[in-house]
Amino acid sequence: MISAGCGPVGSFVMATDAAVTATLASAGYDFVVIDREHGPNDIRSTIGHIRAAEANRTIPLVRVLENNPGQIQATLDAGAHGIVVPKVGSAAEAAAALKASRYERGGRGMCPAVEAARWSAGDTWAEHRRSSNENVIVVPLIETRAGIDSLRDIAAVDGIDFVFFGLADLAQDLGIDMYGDVGRLVDIWNEAVEVVHEQGARIGAPLGYGFEGGDFGTVESDLTLLKSAAVAGLARHRDATSRTPANGA
């Protein structure tokens, strides 16, 4: 999609019910980020989300709690098409996350009897290994001062094709207000876009904050979208009922 000039749009998924992912997919979202850093999803509910995404032809990514090889392996074994890694602050950290996602010496552990491998027999393992190593996406979250300072090196790591601009934690790390100082964040973003594109990688960000020139983005999260719709619907119909005379009077 990106190569065709169309920026993919996704949303974070906090709820544990896989129907939420199916709903977002049916609404046309190109990908979901199942949140295991801030959301309550465990490995069982994550598998449900992944299956719902695949059944409805959207891409399931998972944000892990931390840059931990065990967590990355378990998430990919569950079938995630890619991982979003919080607070990546150096090229070494990005490379470590990438290594944990690859079937290679010292990397991701081999096990055919998992969801991602479709419980493969020996004759299908080689294809799974090849496909996984070629297609699993690793997305460093750039959300600290260290990440911004090291962004050029992070984006230059061979195999890191995407990074994501995490404005909330970045604002906190910089000691500024995410909303009141959004202009400063936009300035940082504009420099980040140039740096990442110079390295041949792609960069995404939350949409609706003035971050222009990116390659992909996210629209809020499932539950914030639900609340926004609920508030709007309540206001609209509350207003309508307040104008309706009681008992026909």
Side-chain angles (χ1 to χ4, degrees):
M1 291 186 69
I2 295 176
S3 60
C6 181
V9 176
S11 183
F12 283 82
V13 173
M14 312 295 286
T16 58
D17 191 331
V20 173
T21 285
T23 300
L24 290 170
S26 68
Y29 283 79
D30 303 302
F31 66 94
V32 293
V33 183
I34 303 153
D35 201 330
R36 296 196 66 195
E37 181 188 16
H38 295 293
N41 281 288
D42 58 16
I43 199 68
R44 185 185 297 272
S45 63
T46 296
I47 289 174
H49 282 298
I50 292 168
R51 289 172 177 170
E54 291 177 334
N56 290 278
R57 300 188 177 183
T58 197
I59 297 171
L61 307 178
V62 176
R63 176 160 67 175
V64 294
L65 177 60
E66 59 184 348
N67 192 354
N68 177 288
Q71 289 184 20
I72 292 171
Q73 175 176 299
T75 300
L76 294 177
D77 282 354
H81 291 202
I83 55 168
V84 178
V85 185
K87 296 181 175 63
V88 173
S90 69
E93 291 175 2
L98 191 68
K99 187 175 185 64
S101 75
R102 298 294 189 257
Y103 290 116
E104 62 182 41
R105 179 175 294 178
R108 179 180 174 186
M110 172 185 172
C111 181
V114 296
E115 180 99 8
R118 292 297 185 261
W119 314 278
S120 63
D123 58 341
T124 58
W125 172 259
E127 172 57 22
H128 165 69
R129 181 182 185 278
R130 181 201 62 77
S131 177
S132 181
N133 281 352
E134 290 181 1
N135 295 307
V136 161
I137 301 168
V138 175
V139 185
L141 260 172
I142 307 303
E143 52 186 351
T144 62
R145 185 189 299 273
I148 291 295
D149 291 344
S150 300
L151 183 55
R152 186 178 303 277
D153 293 336
I154 292 169
V157 172
D158 186 25
I160 297 296
D161 299 316
F162 304 91
V163 299
F164 193 81
F165 190 78
L167 77 159
D169 275 330
L170 178 58
Q172 179 172 274
D173 201 51
L174 295 174
I176 63 177
D177 182 77
M178 173 177 145
Y179 301 103
D181 296 314
V182 70
R184 183 175 171 190
L185 290 169
V186 169
D187 289 341
I188 296 171
W189 160 260
N190 289 335
E191 293 181 13
V193 170
E194 183 175 348
V195 166
V196 170
H197 286 168
E198 285 175 354
Q199 303 306 312
R202 293 164 174 140
I203 185 169
L207 301 173
Y209 294 88
F211 301 134
E212 305 293 339
D215 303 293
F216 62 99
T218 56
V219 179
E220 303 295 343
S221 71
D222 54 348
L223 298 183
T224 53
L225 288 170
L226 173 61
K227 183 175 180 181
S228 295
V231 169
L234 178 62
R236 183 170 63 252
H237 294 292
R238 183 82 80 194
D239 184 59
T241 56
S242 68
R243 294 196 302 268
T244 303
N247 301 322

